[in-house]
Amino acid sequence: MPGTDHCDAVVVGSGPNGLSAAVVLARAGLQVRVLEAQQSIGGGARTLDLGLAPGVTHDICSAVHPMAAASPFFRAFDLRARGVELTYPDVSYAQPLDGGRAGIAYRDLERTVDALGPDGAAWRRLMRPLARHVPGVVDFALSDRRSLPSDPLTAAQYGLGVLEQGTALGRCRWRDEVAPALLFGVAAHAISRLPTLTAAGTALSLGALAHSPGWPLPVGGSQAIVQALVDDLKAHGGSIETGVDVTSFEQLPRARAYLFDTNPWTMTRVVGERMPQRYRRAIERFRPGNAAAKVDFVLSGPVPWANREVGRAGTIHVGGTLAEMSEAEAEVAAGRHAARPMILSSDPAVFDPGREVGGLRPFWTYTHVPAGSTVDVGAAVQAQIERFAPGFGDVVVERRTIPAAEMPAHNANYVGGDIAAGAMNLWQLVARPTPRWNPFATPLPDVYLCSASTPPGPAVHGMCGLNAARSVLRSRFGIRDLPSLAPAPSRE
């Protein structure tokens, strides 16, 4: 249990947002303590040995990081200068279809256009304006939902694309089924019905990043990003304590500010009766979303995709056509398990040979299931992959499933398996977690929320933590200018 000694700020939770907030506060000269319930640091960006095969490590939740490469926080933090090697596959993502067909999203936009045949020109018209102005797309997608866009023209083009692809109008653009499947495989990252406006927004922002600069994987796994944050925090006097499950406010050290990298329900439960009833009722109206179940494989070789180009992708969306994915996501939204589920997958050893140990490699997947599901979906996931990769079962050495209901055991933020920490619908995209002008602050002047339950939402981008830290510095410490996040120059 933490002591009662004083510090400037306490951060509860060590996910990427909690660590980014802690880094900003520590660099501003504050004394910062991070408290983590788990024995390992990093939340959804951890890489651990699960005991499935000697030396083989698995990414616990996130594995591929387009937002980490693009976010303003990590661009300023400069991961590469801190020794984090990001490897960019030539194929950002792929969508296998029956009969050996596939949609292939190359980093090279024109190569993607050529491969899409009759829909290539339509793909170019949709994606080229966004890929050419990625900073404007990122600024809009990762904003706090309260600020005006820095690039209004790009924001308008993005918005029009979302309105088209998020509604029935999207069907008018496409002549074949490959391009819409390729696009909405990305949209499935929102874990929502397809198509919707929020799903289309996800597809277009991540889709633009796929062509410029790409979807990178950190060499060694997601933990490399976490370790860079931890090293910087400690270098600036911050401290981290693991194995500290904060269940009441009385456990916390005395501090001028408390930042919660937790879901809002946990925050209000910990704070208790100090929090005004009206705010607590507002938090109760914030709803969790549909869920994910994690299935980790150990393979004896690469996945034998029927279309070999699929194996060159850093991320593979396994769900078939848009119609099939829409049906699967509708089943999940209705509280049922899809017979052919939507799966996101990655084979990191293709791009990071060090992830293979003794001829064995990790294969990362998660699939969408109803919230709170207790079902072991491992067999269904394996069968769906085998559909597009005949012989997949022959390279499977081990398989472990974490049902949605058990996801909170390794990350308490994932209520019922909701890895987005709150449903990603249009209202909750803006009113996240409540419709306050400052969504990071609460009615208590010393309590703040800095998790993915605040804008801009889930993904490893650090922006929720940065935004919350900015609010804390201004309102609690009178510091209006953010500290530099750049690495210290070498003394050699």
Side-chain angles (χ1 to χ4, degrees):
M1 179 180 295
T4 58
D5 54 307
H6 178 77
C7 59
D8 293 312
V10 172
V11 179
V12 180
S14 71
N17 285 308
L19 291 175
S20 65
V23 163
V24 172
L25 297 177
R27 280 178 162 258
L30 305 182
Q31 185 182 1
V32 182
R33 293 174 66 178
V34 177
L35 308 178
E36 169 57 52
Q38 298 290 324
Q39 295 297 331
S40 55
I41 300 164
R46 288 175 291 165
T47 306
L48 299 175
D49 186 337
L50 302 178
L52 300 181
V56 176
T57 58
H58 295 259
D59 292 304
I60 296 301
C61 186
S62 58
V64 184
H65 294 280
M67 286 301 186
S71 87
F73 173 82
F74 280 115
R75 287 205 311 270
F77 190 71
D78 197 346
L79 288 169
R80 189 174 297 278
R82 297 170 185 276
V84 179
E85 183 180 350
L86 299 176
T87 179
Y88 288 83
D90 288 337
V91 178
S92 294
Y93 62 92
Q95 182 84 18
L97 300 171
D98 289 324
R101 294 193 304 159
I104 308 295
Y106 296 96
R107 290 178 68 191
D108 184 333
L109 175 61
E110 289 305 314
R111 190 174 179 186
T112 306
V113 166
D114 291 342
L116 286 174
D119 281 329
W123 188 273
R124 181 193 290 118
R125 288 193 297 272
L126 180 65
M127 285 296 183
R128 185 164 63 178
L130 304 179
R132 283 182 169 179
H133 300 94
V134 159
V137 174
V138 171
D139 171 76
F140 190 72
L142 293 185
S143 74
D144 61 6
R145 315 298 182 214
R146 275 78 176 160
S147 305
L148 293 175
S150 62
D151 184 346
L153 178 58
T154 298
Q157 291 173 317
Y158 174 77
L160 289 173
V162 168
L163 285 173
E164 176 196 278
Q165 293 302 312
T167 64
L169 291 173
R171 302 172 190 168
C172 301
R173 179 177 290 269
W174 312 114
R175 297 164 56 190
D176 193 14
E177 62 184 5
V178 177
L182 184 64
L183 181 68
F184 277 93
V186 183
H189 285 262
I191 317 184
S192 68
R193 290 180 180 270
L194 300 176
T196 63
L197 294 176
T198 51
T202 299
L204 292 181
S205 58
L206 291 177
L209 289 173
H211 297 305
S212 176
W215 288 13
L217 291 82
V219 171
S222 298
Q223 196 75 40
I225 295 174
V226 170
Q227 193 58 50
L229 291 166
V230 169
D231 290 346
D232 189 82
L233 173 62
K234 292 182 176 179
H236 290 85
S239 65
I240 302 175
E241 298 177 50
T242 59
V244 181
D245 186 9
V246 177
T247 58
S248 71
F249 201 73
E250 287 67 32
Q251 288 177 259
L252 298 173
R254 290 182 295 117
R256 291 182 61 186
Y258 300 90
L259 292 83
F260 284 80
D261 184 16
T262 69
N263 62 56
W265 312 291
T266 296
M267 178 189 69
T268 54
R269 186 169 62 250
V270 169
V271 173
E273 294 301 318
R274 292 184 68 221
M275 189 66 74
Q277 182 67 28
R278 183 177 179 181
Y279 183 80
R280 281 189 283 160
R281 286 197 300 267
I283 291 299
E284 289 171 1
R285 291 191 291 270
F286 184 68
R287 310 309 304 166
N290 296 326
K294 186 78 176 347
V295 185
D296 291 300
F297 292 89
V298 175
L299 308 182
S300 60
V303 179
W305 300 105
N307 186 308
R308 291 186 178 181
E309 283 295 278
V310 172
R312 298 180 58 221
T315 301
I316 303 98
H317 304 122
V318 184
T321 64
L322 173 55
E324 290 174 315
M325 291 187 291
S326 297
E327 181 181 354
E329 299 292 60
E331 286 287 283
V332 169
R336 298 184 292 266
H337 290 81
R340 288 182 161 181
M342 183 67 218
I343 301 163
L344 284 76
S345 67
S346 182
D347 185 354
V350 173
F351 317 99
D352 180 5
R355 298 293 296 274
E356 182 174 304
V357 180
L360 301 178
R361 62 207 289 154
F363 184 57
W364 173 96
T365 77
Y366 74 76
T367 186
H368 300 167
V369 297
S373 168
T374 59
V375 175
D376 182 337
V377 294
V381 167
Q382 185 165 326
Q384 178 76 319
I385 294 171
E386 183 102 25
R387 172 187 169 192
F388 303 105
F392 175 63
D394 296 335
V395 299
V396 174
V397 176
E398 292 287 347
R399 185 182 78 206
R400 186 197 75 159
T401 302
I402 304 178
E406 297 178 18
M407 292 287 277
H410 71 82
N411 193 326
N413 283 354
Y414 300 161
V415 175
D418 171 21
I419 62 175
M424 292 295 288
N425 56 46
L426 192 59
W427 171 250
Q428 290 196 177
L429 195 64
V430 178
R432 193 169 184 87
T434 66
R436 294 170 61 89
W437 180 252
N438 183 348
F440 312 99
T442 74
L444 297 177
D446 57 348
V447 175
Y448 297 77
L449 190 64
C450 67
S451 70
S453 298
T454 62
V460 178
H461 45 59
M463 293 302 295
C464 305
L466 174 65
N467 291 332
R470 178 187 287 113
S471 182
V472 169
L473 289 175
R474 289 179 177 178
S475 61
R476 297 298 287 169
F477 298 95
I479 301 173
R480 302 197 62 81
D481 295 327
L482 284 173
S484 170
L485 295 174
S490 173
R491 297 181 180 180
E492 296 182 2

